[in-house]
Amino acid sequence: MAATGFLLRSHLQDLLDALVAVGYRCVGPQVRDGAVCYDTLREAADLPWGWRDAQNPGTYRLRQTGGAYAFAWANGPQGLKPLLFAPRELLQTSIRAPDGGLRFAAPVASVGAMAVVGVRACDLAALRLLDQHFIGGFVPDPHYAARRADLFLIAVHCSHPAATCFCVSTGDGPRAEQGFDLALGETEAGFVVFAGSAAGAGLAERLPLRPAQAAEEAFVDAALADAVKAQTRSLPSRDLRAGLFGNLRHPRWEAVASRCLSCGNCTAVCPTCFCHGEGEEVAADGASSARYRQWDSCFTQEHSAIHGMVIRADTRQRYRQWLTHKLGSWHGQYGRSGCVGCGRCITWCPVGIDITEEAAAVCAGTP
Amino acid sequence: MRGDAMTEPQLLHEAVVIERIQESPVIFTLRLSFTDPELQAGYRFEPGQFNMVGLYGVGQSPISIVSDPQDERLLDHTIRGLGRVTLGLSRLAAGDRVGLRGPYGRGWPLAQAQGRDIVLITGGLGCAPAVSVIRYVLRRRERFGYLTILQGVKHADDLIWRRQYAQWSAFPDVHVGLAADVGAPGWFGVVGPVTALFDQAPIRAGSLVMMCGPEIMMRVVAAELVRRGIDENDMWLSMERNMHCATGLCGHCQIGPHFVCRDGPVFRYPELKALLGERGF
Ligand SMILES: Cc1cc2nc3c(=O)[nH]c(=O)nc-3n(C[C@H](O)[C@H](O)[C@H](O)COP(=O)(O)OP(=O)(O)OC[C@H]3O[C@@H](n4cnc5c(N)ncnc54)[C@H](O)[C@@H]3O)c2cc1C
Ligand code: SF4
Ligand code: SF4
Ligand code: FES
């Protein structure tokens, strides 16, 4: 993809201002509670300048290096998921009249246009999967659709993967190849800008870009090549259906279950996990009731409970469900694995269970 | 589903209880009708599909529709009172209101069943999805071949709706077989698993088989039927899973790659064969 131009670091604020001028609320990465998180972004100065991360199974650490880069870190716990598939959403209100009559309404919150700065390739891939799930099905979800409709995505090519990243092996990174409006490749002096859509090209015209120099583009390419080489983890294959479903009684399931806490952290941070539960909350006066949905996890008992029995009663069955779904059944549902190699589930697992290790152990010996 | 399903896929619509029938100490039927006459008139479903029935302030449950698809006035739901929603529903009386949305899912392959023998095999504590088929076939007796109804229960005392089985067996070209793993004084059926009924039952090659009940039972039955020359593609199963949304979104109802609410609840046996009865799926 040919570069559209070069944006000096000192002009990054112009990008945010241009987005606000055309009506977007900007969201971008910022350091919050010791992690890089997405939040409303007004000042380019609030980006994680100089911060570097160290991620390993079960651990995440940030440190300030004083360096010149804003994006020299790999993804924190959040992806795009919480911005589009809200952790909690009002689905329906019911009003009961004194005569017992019921009236129902399904409000869709108006959210306005949102621009997200700093999106990584793995999260763009996860977004394509969430799109398939929430709006590509036979009953599109209006809440997700409303948030998705006016979304402007500014990607950043990943130059500093974490030790937990394995997007190369899933085919989803580190370069942002598609699904963005603008992509940035960071250099010492600023950003090589690539337009990925008509909206992105339109916005680029409002920016004080100068032509990108060949050396700057080469620097970005070299950083991406280094990022590829830096990844040490990988999945044995992009399609593990046979290996997983052919080994449902593998002793490894028992072994991983003895470590897994069934806490559901992995499913919460996973950018493609979509499970949620619905529940009813009655107003104090009893005259109205609201139905909410909330993120749920296949690691909970309630997830699979039907009357008088729980389909997945123990951790072995739950971990196995998670892995066989994520790396197996997703192929049947959405045409590819549900894992984009972001490594979040490895970093944020309190006991450091590594999905790549577990998958390799279960599938070992299966072609 | 209604036209507004695209923008409000989860919206309940008010329905009124026209009649409540007590079928057994714990089973009752709610005959419902949407209060919006246009909605009621435009509602279409197939046997085997289900509605989400909402009890105000409590929640929603997936419940099969057991009335006849050509009955344009009433939507019958036969319910076992078990937990918060279903016990709440059991306390409703004529005139009370509920929320209703649907129909959802894939129903029984009744078009394929035309002109063929049908074998219905059910296990456990009654099976609403099967009732819808039996009634459908009996009302259109001439369109189908022989109807065989085989029901297995754990204990003879578990058999509900004895009366219904007697009524059904009085129809022409209908065979009813009942089996209990554990008999009881006065038990008129066979003592043994439901497969013990197969030798007496007219299960002929080319029959279309529909099943619902415990998954282990269905797995055993399917294997036995294959041995008796029934094509795997002619066996259909109705499945039950936890459901919240019924629209393929919440993820609760998954069995491997299938969303039971959307791809089922009725499945062709080969679609499920690998995971049927596999604990944890
Ligand atoms: C496709 C389908 C068709 C069904 N048709 C009928 C029918 O015609 N008649 C009938 O009596 N029952 C039917 N059921 C079962 C019925 O939906 C459950 O008995 C009911 O949801 C239990 O809810 P509860 O609040 O009363 O019980 P609780 O035990 O209080 O339920 C608590 C939670 O578990 C879930 N849950 C519990 N049991 C089931 C279950 N078996 N299936 C799905 N979710 C469950 C509920 O959604 C709820 O979230 C059907 C189930 C499915 C999936
Ligand atoms: S399974 Fe783990 S590595 Fe894969 S997308 Fe989900 S959180 Fe990322
Ligand atoms: S794998 Fe780790 S994060 Fe996931 S449920 Fe088990 S302990 Fe929690
Ligand atoms: S019930 Fe929600 S996905 Fe099937």
PDB file of all heavy atoms in Angstrom, chain A residues 4 13 72 120 126 134 193 236-237 239 249 279 284-285 287 295 302 337 347:
ATOM      1  N   THR A   4       0.247   7.734   1.912  1.00  0.00           N
ATOM      2  CA  THR A   4      -0.471   8.946   1.512  1.00  0.00           C
ATOM      3  C   THR A   4       0.366  10.185   1.842  1.00  0.00           C
ATOM      4  O   THR A   4       0.245  11.213   1.183  1.00  0.00           O
ATOM      5  CB  THR A   4      -1.821   9.009   2.259  1.00  0.00           C
ATOM      6  OG1 THR A   4      -2.494   7.774   2.060  1.00  0.00           O
ATOM      7  CG2 THR A   4      -2.691  10.155   1.754  1.00  0.00           C
ATOM      8  N   GLN A  13      -1.770  16.342  16.963  1.00  0.00           N
ATOM      9  CA  GLN A  13      -2.968  16.992  17.496  1.00  0.00           C
ATOM     10  C   GLN A  13      -3.907  17.438  16.364  1.00  0.00           C
ATOM     11  O   GLN A  13      -5.124  17.405  16.511  1.00  0.00           O
ATOM     12  CB  GLN A  13      -2.584  18.199  18.369  1.00  0.00           C
ATOM     13  CG  GLN A  13      -3.763  18.877  19.056  1.00  0.00           C
ATOM     14  CD  GLN A  13      -4.467  17.957  20.057  1.00  0.00           C
ATOM     15  OE1 GLN A  13      -3.840  17.199  20.779  1.00  0.00           O
ATOM     16  NE2 GLN A  13      -5.800  18.010  20.075  1.00  0.00           N
ATOM     17  N   ALA A  72       4.784   2.434  21.083  1.00  0.00           N
ATOM     18  CA  ALA A  72       5.803   1.393  21.171  1.00  0.00           C
ATOM     19  C   ALA A  72       5.452   0.363  22.239  1.00  0.00           C
ATOM     20  O   ALA A  72       6.255   0.051  23.115  1.00  0.00           O
ATOM     21  CB  ALA A  72       7.164   2.033  21.456  1.00  0.00           C
ATOM     22  N   ARG A 120      -4.875  -1.927  16.526  1.00  0.00           N
ATOM     23  CA  ARG A 120      -3.859  -2.848  15.997  1.00  0.00           C
ATOM     24  C   ARG A 120      -4.488  -3.855  15.035  1.00  0.00           C
ATOM     25  O   ARG A 120      -5.692  -4.096  15.053  1.00  0.00           O
ATOM     26  CB  ARG A 120      -3.169  -3.576  17.150  1.00  0.00           C
ATOM     27  CG  ARG A 120      -2.537  -2.622  18.169  1.00  0.00           C
ATOM     28  CD  ARG A 120      -1.622  -1.597  17.483  1.00  0.00           C
ATOM     29  NE  ARG A 120      -1.131  -0.593  18.412  1.00  0.00           N
ATOM     30  CZ  ARG A 120       0.031  -0.671  19.053  1.00  0.00           C
ATOM     31  NH1 ARG A 120       0.812  -1.704  18.885  1.00  0.00           N
ATOM     32  NH2 ARG A 120       0.402   0.302  19.858  1.00  0.00           N
ATOM     33  N   ALA A 126     -10.287  -9.028  14.703  1.00  0.00           N
ATOM     34  CA  ALA A 126     -11.335  -9.376  15.668  1.00  0.00           C
ATOM     35  C   ALA A 126     -12.628  -8.641  15.333  1.00  0.00           C
ATOM     36  O   ALA A 126     -13.727  -9.197  15.457  1.00  0.00           O
ATOM     37  CB  ALA A 126     -10.876  -9.028  17.087  1.00  0.00           C
ATOM     38  N   PHE A 134     -22.330 -10.228  15.036  1.00  0.00           N
ATOM     39  CA  PHE A 134     -23.407  -9.347  15.500  1.00  0.00           C
ATOM     40  C   PHE A 134     -24.254  -8.748  14.378  1.00  0.00           C
ATOM     41  O   PHE A 134     -25.421  -8.436  14.599  1.00  0.00           O
ATOM     42  CB  PHE A 134     -22.835  -8.216  16.370  1.00  0.00           C
ATOM     43  CG  PHE A 134     -22.508  -8.663  17.758  1.00  0.00           C
ATOM     44  CD1 PHE A 134     -21.199  -8.880  18.143  1.00  0.00           C
ATOM     45  CD2 PHE A 134     -23.516  -8.887  18.686  1.00  0.00           C
ATOM     46  CE1 PHE A 134     -20.894  -9.312  19.427  1.00  0.00           C
ATOM     47  CE2 PHE A 134     -23.224  -9.316  19.976  1.00  0.00           C
ATOM     48  CZ  PHE A 134     -21.909  -9.531  20.345  1.00  0.00           C
ATOM     49  N   VAL A 193       1.577   7.946   6.864  1.00  0.00           N
ATOM     50  CA  VAL A 193       0.118   7.812   6.877  1.00  0.00           C
ATOM     51  C   VAL A 193      -0.338   7.050   5.633  1.00  0.00           C
ATOM     52  O   VAL A 193       0.105   7.352   4.513  1.00  0.00           O
ATOM     53  CB  VAL A 193      -0.540   9.211   6.917  1.00  0.00           C
ATOM     54  CG1 VAL A 193      -2.065   9.090   6.874  1.00  0.00           C
ATOM     55  CG2 VAL A 193      -0.091   9.976   8.164  1.00  0.00           C
ATOM     56  N   PRO A 236      -0.199 -24.349  16.287  1.00  0.00           N
ATOM     57  CA  PRO A 236       0.299 -25.379  15.380  1.00  0.00           C
ATOM     58  C   PRO A 236      -0.279 -25.270  13.964  1.00  0.00           C
ATOM     59  O   PRO A 236       0.340 -25.724  13.009  1.00  0.00           O
ATOM     60  CB  PRO A 236      -0.132 -26.694  16.039  1.00  0.00           C
ATOM     61  CG  PRO A 236      -0.835 -26.359  17.302  1.00  0.00           C
ATOM     62  CD  PRO A 236      -0.835 -24.888  17.499  1.00  0.00           C
ATOM     63  N   SER A 237      -1.484 -24.708  13.827  1.00  0.00           N
ATOM     64  CA  SER A 237      -2.087 -24.598  12.502  1.00  0.00           C
ATOM     65  C   SER A 237      -3.230 -23.601  12.613  1.00  0.00           C
ATOM     66  O   SER A 237      -3.680 -23.273  13.703  1.00  0.00           O
ATOM     67  CB  SER A 237      -2.610 -25.970  12.048  1.00  0.00           C
ATOM     68  OG  SER A 237      -3.813 -25.860  11.332  1.00  0.00           O
ATOM     69  N   ASP A 239      -6.126 -24.164  11.373  1.00  0.00           N
ATOM     70  CA  ASP A 239      -7.381 -24.915  11.505  1.00  0.00           C
ATOM     71  C   ASP A 239      -7.109 -26.133  12.377  1.00  0.00           C
ATOM     72  O   ASP A 239      -6.529 -27.119  11.923  1.00  0.00           O
ATOM     73  CB  ASP A 239      -7.913 -25.338  10.136  1.00  0.00           C
ATOM     74  CG  ASP A 239      -9.279 -26.007  10.244  1.00  0.00           C
ATOM     75  OD1 ASP A 239      -9.713 -26.299  11.371  1.00  0.00           O
ATOM     76  OD2 ASP A 239      -9.912 -26.236   9.195  1.00  0.00           O
ATOM     77  N   ARG A 249     -10.790 -36.539  24.752  1.00  0.00           N
ATOM     78  CA  ARG A 249     -10.470 -37.209  26.020  1.00  0.00           C
ATOM     79  C   ARG A 249      -8.985 -37.138  26.355  1.00  0.00           C
ATOM     80  O   ARG A 249      -8.483 -37.890  27.186  1.00  0.00           O
ATOM     81  CB  ARG A 249     -10.948 -38.653  25.965  1.00  0.00           C
ATOM     82  CG  ARG A 249     -12.440 -38.731  26.137  1.00  0.00           C
ATOM     83  CD  ARG A 249     -13.001 -40.126  25.991  1.00  0.00           C
ATOM     84  NE  ARG A 249     -14.455 -40.051  26.005  1.00  0.00           N
ATOM     85  CZ  ARG A 249     -15.182 -39.567  25.014  1.00  0.00           C
ATOM     86  NH1 ARG A 249     -14.606 -39.154  23.913  1.00  0.00           N
ATOM     87  NH2 ARG A 249     -16.505 -39.501  25.111  1.00  0.00           N
ATOM     88  N   GLY A 279     -30.860 -10.510  31.626  1.00  0.00           N
ATOM     89  CA  GLY A 279     -31.525 -10.564  32.925  1.00  0.00           C
ATOM     90  C   GLY A 279     -32.520  -9.433  33.069  1.00  0.00           C
ATOM     91  O   GLY A 279     -32.436  -8.413  32.374  1.00  0.00           O
ATOM     92  N   ALA A 284     -38.468  -0.334  41.537  1.00  0.00           N
ATOM     93  CA  ALA A 284     -38.907  -0.445  42.925  1.00  0.00           C
ATOM     94  C   ALA A 284     -40.432  -0.417  43.049  1.00  0.00           C
ATOM     95  O   ALA A 284     -41.006  -1.123  43.885  1.00  0.00           O
ATOM     96  CB  ALA A 284     -38.288   0.682  43.750  1.00  0.00           C
ATOM     97  N   ASP A 285     -41.104   0.371  42.201  1.00  0.00           N
ATOM     98  CA  ASP A 285     -42.569   0.450  42.307  1.00  0.00           C
ATOM     99  C   ASP A 285     -43.275  -0.692  41.578  1.00  0.00           C
ATOM    100  O   ASP A 285     -44.504  -0.769  41.576  1.00  0.00           O
ATOM    101  CB  ASP A 285     -43.068   1.808  41.787  1.00  0.00           C
ATOM    102  CG  ASP A 285     -42.816   1.976  40.291  1.00  0.00           C
ATOM    103  OD1 ASP A 285     -42.258   1.047  39.664  1.00  0.00           O
ATOM    104  OD2 ASP A 285     -43.183   3.039  39.753  1.00  0.00           O
ATOM    105  N   ALA A 287     -43.867  -1.162  38.571  1.00  0.00           N
ATOM    106  CA  ALA A 287     -44.644  -0.815  37.376  1.00  0.00           C
ATOM    107  C   ALA A 287     -43.855  -0.973  36.087  1.00  0.00           C
ATOM    108  O   ALA A 287     -44.423  -0.934  35.007  1.00  0.00           O
ATOM    109  CB  ALA A 287     -45.165   0.621  37.486  1.00  0.00           C
ATOM    110  N   TRP A 295     -21.995  -9.063  29.572  1.00  0.00           N
ATOM    111  CA  TRP A 295     -21.019 -10.068  29.152  1.00  0.00           C
ATOM    112  C   TRP A 295     -21.124 -11.294  30.054  1.00  0.00           C
ATOM    113  O   TRP A 295     -21.267 -11.173  31.273  1.00  0.00           O
ATOM    114  CB  TRP A 295     -19.598  -9.520  29.261  1.00  0.00           C
ATOM    115  CG  TRP A 295     -19.246  -8.528  28.210  1.00  0.00           C
ATOM    116  CD1 TRP A 295     -20.061  -8.014  27.246  1.00  0.00           C
ATOM    117  CD2 TRP A 295     -17.964  -7.919  28.026  1.00  0.00           C
ATOM    118  NE1 TRP A 295     -19.359  -7.120  26.477  1.00  0.00           N
ATOM    119  CE2 TRP A 295     -18.075  -7.045  26.927  1.00  0.00           C
ATOM    120  CE3 TRP A 295     -16.736  -8.034  28.675  1.00  0.00           C
ATOM    121  CZ2 TRP A 295     -16.986  -6.284  26.472  1.00  0.00           C
ATOM    122  CZ3 TRP A 295     -15.666  -7.283  28.228  1.00  0.00           C
ATOM    123  CH2 TRP A 295     -15.797  -6.427  27.131  1.00  0.00           C
ATOM    124  N   GLU A 302     -23.719 -21.101  35.224  1.00  0.00           N
ATOM    125  CA  GLU A 302     -25.029 -20.725  34.678  1.00  0.00           C
ATOM    126  C   GLU A 302     -25.035 -20.763  33.151  1.00  0.00           C
ATOM    127  O   GLU A 302     -26.080 -20.910  32.538  1.00  0.00           O
ATOM    128  CB  GLU A 302     -25.432 -19.316  35.132  1.00  0.00           C
ATOM    129  CG  GLU A 302     -25.557 -19.130  36.636  1.00  0.00           C
ATOM    130  CD  GLU A 302     -24.207 -19.105  37.339  1.00  0.00           C
ATOM    131  OE1 GLU A 302     -23.230 -18.573  36.760  1.00  0.00           O
ATOM    132  OE2 GLU A 302     -24.104 -19.644  38.460  1.00  0.00           O
ATOM    133  N   SER A 337     -10.707 -19.488  12.348  1.00  0.00           N
ATOM    134  CA  SER A 337     -10.541 -19.609  13.793  1.00  0.00           C
ATOM    135  C   SER A 337     -11.003 -18.317  14.458  1.00  0.00           C
ATOM    136  O   SER A 337     -10.962 -17.241  13.868  1.00  0.00           O
ATOM    137  CB  SER A 337      -9.066 -19.867  14.086  1.00  0.00           C
ATOM    138  OG  SER A 337      -8.700 -19.336  15.333  1.00  0.00           O
ATOM    139  N   THR A 347      -1.685 -13.192  28.825  1.00  0.00           N
ATOM    140  CA  THR A 347      -1.226 -12.175  29.773  1.00  0.00           C
ATOM    141  C   THR A 347      -2.159 -12.053  30.973  1.00  0.00           C
ATOM    142  O   THR A 347      -1.711 -11.951  32.120  1.00  0.00           O
ATOM    143  CB  THR A 347      -1.157 -10.804  29.074  1.00  0.00           C
ATOM    144  OG1 THR A 347      -0.192 -10.879  28.030  1.00  0.00           O
ATOM    145  CG2 THR A 347      -0.777  -9.703  30.039  1.00  0.00           C
TER     146      THR A 347
END
